[in-house]
Amino acid sequence: MDVQPTSSGEDRLRTALEASGHRHTAQRAAIYRYLKSVTTHPTADEIFTQVREVLPDISLATVYKALEAFVEAGVARKLSVGGSPARYDGRTDDHDHVRCLKCGKVRDVVGEHDSELIRGLRSDDGFEIIDYRLELVGFCPDCRV
Ligand SMILES: [Zn+2]
Ligand SMILES: [Zn+2]
């Protein structure tokens, strides 16, 4: 049986970026590779610091623009929490997060929640509820006392 080479992550990135009107560049590919390689949900600053190790000429603005392009292309998610810098997630499937109340660290949680229960919630002032984001909060192993 012939095994066709599967399209690499880079091909998928290129296709998704170009389909949404964005350019695929070597710098964007490196940022994407980094984002896919970690489960830390890094901020743009953290991504910049890491990617600069391999691409010393990259600028923070380039990282920001790349991340916005990834989100628009549907290959990354942006996690915004009021008051703290946005974090980025290379995982785009449905999953939930836990955030440390002390240091702000964000990780994926394992397990399913009861979405029926949440979809049964209503606002009493006429909101049309279209979706939800579930965030668990607590203290990470480093911050637990
Ligand atoms: Zn913590
Ligand atoms: Zn995640």
Side-chain angles (χ1 to χ4, degrees), residues 45-122:
D45 270 319
E46 288 163 356
I47 295 166
F48 173 60
T49 304
Q50 293 302 315
V51 173
R52 199 173 42 175
E53 307 250 311
V54 283
L55 296 173
D57 294 335
I58 203 161
S59 71
L60 182 58
T62 298
V63 171
Y64 270 110
K65 279 188 218 132
L67 292 169
E68 293 301 323
F70 295 167
V71 172
E72 282 179 33
V75 295
R77 281 168 62 183
K78 182 178 186 173
L79 313 174
S80 303
V81 192
S84 53
R87 292 175 170 277
Y88 294 87
D89 194 346
R91 246 185 96 176
T92 51
D93 61 310
D94 258 338
H95 64 282
D96 301 314
H97 294 109
V98 60
R99 177 172 53 93
C100 180
L101 289 166
K102 198 165 173 196
C103 70
K105 191 181 286 176
V106 174
R107 293 293 184 273
D108 295 331
V109 294
V110 181
E112 298 277 309
H113 63 261
D114 185 348
S115 58
E116 285 296 307
L117 192 75
I118 293 171
R119 291 193 190 282
L121 301 171
R122 295 282 171 264

